[in-house]
Amino acid sequence: MDDLVEVQSQIERLNDLPGVSSLAMNSAIVLLRGWYQNFKPTPEDMKTWIYLMRDLDPELFIPAAEEWGRTQPDWSPTAPQFRQVVERLDAERQRVLRRAVNVERLESSKLADRRIRIRTRHS
């Protein structure tokens, strides 16, 4: 079987894995292949990519490919390197979400404190 056909077959198997979208992985692989002429994953490489990405958020695959292209323009990522970029992007996203929740909680707490002070003054 042609390597490209085998790689495509491996990508299509992503649909069977929980948490991994084949469209997202395929798009990231296509993007990396376009940016890096030396990036030609073999079927064995794809098994590694699929295994390592299975529990990550597929929405971060394209941003991770873009991030890698900006920061490492001279060489393509390995599957473990790509996973690290996706994990870093996810951690950044989680920090932003936590920060927003904490700001909201702080504002709610300040508002509740003001209400308590207003009630005690009027009592």
Side-chain angles (χ1 to χ4, degrees):
M1 184 184 298
D2 179 65
D3 275 354
L4 185 56
V5 172
E6 179 65 23
V7 166
Q8 190 61 36
S9 170
Q10 292 290 338
I11 290 172
E12 289 169 3
R13 289 185 198 171
L14 289 168
N15 285 327
D16 299 333
L17 299 174
V20 178
S21 160
S22 72
L23 179 59
M25 177 60 79
N26 191 27
S27 297
I29 296 294
V30 168
L31 190 57
L32 291 169
R33 287 182 69 180
W35 281 341
Y36 301 101
Q37 298 304 311
N38 65 341
F39 184 68
K40 299 183 189 322
T42 66
E44 286 302 312
D45 294 335
M46 285 312 303
K47 288 177 186 174
T48 302
W49 279 75
I50 290 168
Y51 180 77
L52 289 177
M53 303 309 143
R54 74 192 183 288
D55 61 335
L56 300 176
D57 184 350
E59 289 183 15
L60 296 173
F61 294 171
I62 296 298
E66 292 169 344
E67 174 76 14
W68 185 270
R70 276 192 307 276
T71 60
Q72 305 295 336
D74 296 331
W75 70 86
S76 59
T78 63
Q81 290 170 327
F82 190 78
R83 180 181 174 85
Q84 288 175 342
V85 174
V86 174
E87 288 174 333
R88 186 170 38 76
L89 291 176
D90 187 45
E92 289 172 14
R93 180 177 61 181
Q94 295 301 324
R95 275 193 299 276
V96 168
L97 291 173
R98 278 193 304 273
R99 191 174 302 126
V101 167
N102 287 337
V103 166
E104 186 177 315
R105 286 179 180 166
L106 181 60
E107 292 302 317
S108 294
S109 174
K110 288 179 183 178
L111 183 60
D113 187 44
R114 286 185 202 134
R115 288 180 183 155
I116 290 171
R117 280 192 246 152
I118 290 172
R119 282 189 212 149
T120 32
R121 286 186 200 163
H122 289 48
S123 300

